[in-house]
Amino acid sequence: MKPLVFLTLCAAMAPLYAQDDAVLPYRPSVSTPAQLPTPGQLEFETGFLSAKSSDSRRDSLPYTFKLAFNEQWGVLIEGESFVSSREDGSPRQRGFGDTTFVLKRAFIIDDATAFGLELGAKAPTAKDTIGSGKSDYSINGIFSRDMGPVHMDANLNATRLGAYDAGTGRTQVGWASAFSTPISDKWQAIGELSGTHRENTLNTAQLLVAASYSPNKRLVFDFGVARGLTSASQDWSLFGGVTLPLAKLW
């Protein structure tokens, strides 16, 4: 299914499941907020992502299901419903992506400050030509804070890789800091720096700039662009997506 058609169908679904509680988007930035969605409200995020480097291109339809049991505990299931990738000199590969399961704990300090902890496990549901073919395990620490009109999400994580080259580190450290601020009642601006480090490999880093539009508190659209800042990063990526509630389970 084409991304534009898929997003249109998701937007059309929103009124069918509309609830009084606002959604809490985790996209489009690499970092996530410490807070959880409204307890009992199953939220869905999806979109498209197109990343291009000098010798490769990768297009995908990422998705995330989010459900909080209460203000402290929740779970996420995320992955890619479709991937199309190609490197120069190789045939195009298409298929389903890997799937990640996350257990999340939020520590709410006050209305403006929260810490978070995520424990994740990636299942190798993609074929080897698209994914790594191995399971990964990760831990992510989060600090979120409102500073007047500016909201900040800072993430620091470590991933134990199942697949890695001989002579390189097995643990990858990732970092990300995102800042967002409203520019009108319905529009918001987002900026983020993020990157990764692993022993005996080149560091990655990128700058992300995005905007989101919320016609109501239960529906948020986003779009933006990211630029790689190192030789090991992708050159450019374009993305867009939507966050909406699927159902109020309790």
Side-chain angles (χ1 to χ4, degrees), residues 57 63 130-131 136 140-141 176 186 231:
R57 176 168 177 170
Y63 68 87
I130 291 178
D136 299 338
N140 183 37
K186 297 183 178 182
S231 59

Side-chain angles (χ1 to χ4, degrees), residues 156-221:
L156 182 62
N157 53 69
T159 301
R160 185 72 168 173
L161 300 174
Y164 60 99
D165 295 330
T168 64
R170 185 173 185 178
T171 300
Q172 178 173 282
V173 176
W175 57 272
S177 294
F179 297 85
S180 60
T181 186
I183 53 180
S184 71
D185 290 342
K186 297 183 178 182
W187 286 92
Q188 187 174 67
I190 304 159
E192 180 186 58
L193 281 171
S194 63
T196 63
H197 170 78
R198 186 158 62 95
E199 186 178 359
N200 295 328
T201 64
L202 297 175
N203 293 338
T204 69
Q206 73 168 19
L207 171 65
L208 177 148
V209 178
S212 66
Y213 172 73
S214 180
N216 58 64
K217 61 183 181 180
R218 296 176 299 274
L219 185 62
V220 181
F221 296 95

Side-chain angles (χ1 to χ4, degrees), residues 80-135:
E80 295 170 305
S81 59
F82 178 75
V83 177
S84 174
S85 65
R86 183 176 182 179
E87 296 186 5
D88 287 351
S90 300
R92 183 176 297 276
Q93 302 294 326
R94 296 182 177 89
F96 191 79
D98 290 327
T99 306
T100 300
F101 302 90
V102 179
L103 175 65
K104 184 163 186 170
R105 175 68 158 93
F107 303 86
I108 308 301
I109 307 303
D110 52 41
D111 290 342
T113 308
F115 292 89
L117 184 66
E118 295 177 335
L119 300 177
K122 188 201 79 175
T125 53
K127 58 184 181 181
D128 292 353
T129 53
I130 291 178
S132 66
K134 301 289 185 179
S135 297

